[in-house]
């Protein structure tokens, strides 16, 4: 039987273990972000994310234009940051709507155009 040498265990990232942070001028509690998506539209990279509004925190729409960078940190099963992405944004949009006709959660949708020249991978264990 061959001997295993230099074995490195690999654990896949889970899609529900992440933290999103904006630049320090815009503080949003990490736990309010619910999802994100990065995709391309032609030559542009787009970052979309959603967050809850709560009785303890509501996003000030005037802060949208203060958002200049985003960091996404991926977490292992016990919550340690293992890697991630960071990038600057060139353009931004937001939308949210509340309506008396339903009792859904109050959510804000953000969309940013990523500056691809600033996109960096973050590795904690390298």
């Amino acid at each position: 039987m061959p001997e295993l040498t230099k074995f490195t265990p690999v654990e896949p990232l889970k899609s529900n273990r992440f933290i999103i942070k904006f630049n320090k001028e815009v503080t949003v509690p990490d736990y309010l972000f619910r999802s994100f998506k990065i995709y391309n539209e032609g030559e542009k990279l787009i970052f979309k994310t959603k967050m809850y509004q709560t009785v303890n925190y509501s996003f000030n729409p005037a802060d949208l234009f203060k958002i200049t960078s985003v960091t996404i940190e991926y977490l292992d099963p016990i919550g340690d940051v293992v890697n991630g992405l960071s990038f600057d944004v060139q353009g931004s949009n937001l939308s949210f709507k509340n309506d008396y006709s339903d009792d859904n959660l109050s959510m804000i949708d953000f969309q940013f155009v990523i500056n691809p020249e600033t996109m960096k991978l973050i590795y904690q264990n390298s």
Side-chain angles (χ1 to χ4, degrees):
M1 187 171 222
E3 183 179 329
L4 290 176
T5 58
K6 296 185 180 180
F7 175 73
T8 303
V10 175
E11 179 164 348
L13 290 174
K14 296 280 223 155
S15 65
N16 64 346
R17 295 182 184 150
F18 63 89
I19 294 173
I20 296 175
K21 297 178 183 177
F22 295 143
N23 48 291
K24 64 182 176 186
E25 291 80 17
V26 182
T27 304
V28 176
D30 302 341
Y31 56 86
L32 294 181
F33 289 99
R34 303 315 310 155
S35 63
F36 76 90
K37 177 180 179 180
I38 297 176
Y39 62 96
N40 74 299
E41 281 184 2
E43 298 296 314
K44 294 182 180 178
L45 286 174
I46 307 297
F47 169 72
K48 282 186 164 185
T49 189
K50 290 183 175 203
M51 64 165 274
Y52 290 126
Q53 295 205 92
T54 68
V55 293
N56 296 322
Y57 180 85
S58 292
F59 184 78
N60 180 352
D63 286 343
L64 177 67
F65 303 110
K66 296 177 186 174
I67 300 170
T68 58
S69 64
V70 175
T71 301
I72 303 168
E73 297 175 335
Y74 298 112
L75 309 174
D76 70 6
I78 60 170
D80 291 334
V81 175
V82 291
N83 62 46
L85 296 168
S86 69
F87 50 86
D88 291 344
V89 296
Q90 297 174 316
S92 53
N93 292 300
L94 77 78
S95 70
F96 65 96
K97 173 183 154 185
N98 293 313
D99 190 333
Y100 282 113
S101 67
D102 62 46
D103 64 351
N104 292 331
L105 299 173
S106 179
M107 302 287 287
I108 297 181
D109 296 322
F110 294 94
Q111 178 174 311
F112 300 96
V113 176
I114 297 171
N115 179 346
E117 295 174 8
T118 63
M119 186 169 265
K120 294 178 242 166
L121 291 173
I122 302 167
Y123 290 105
Q124 298 298 328
N125 298 327
S126 53

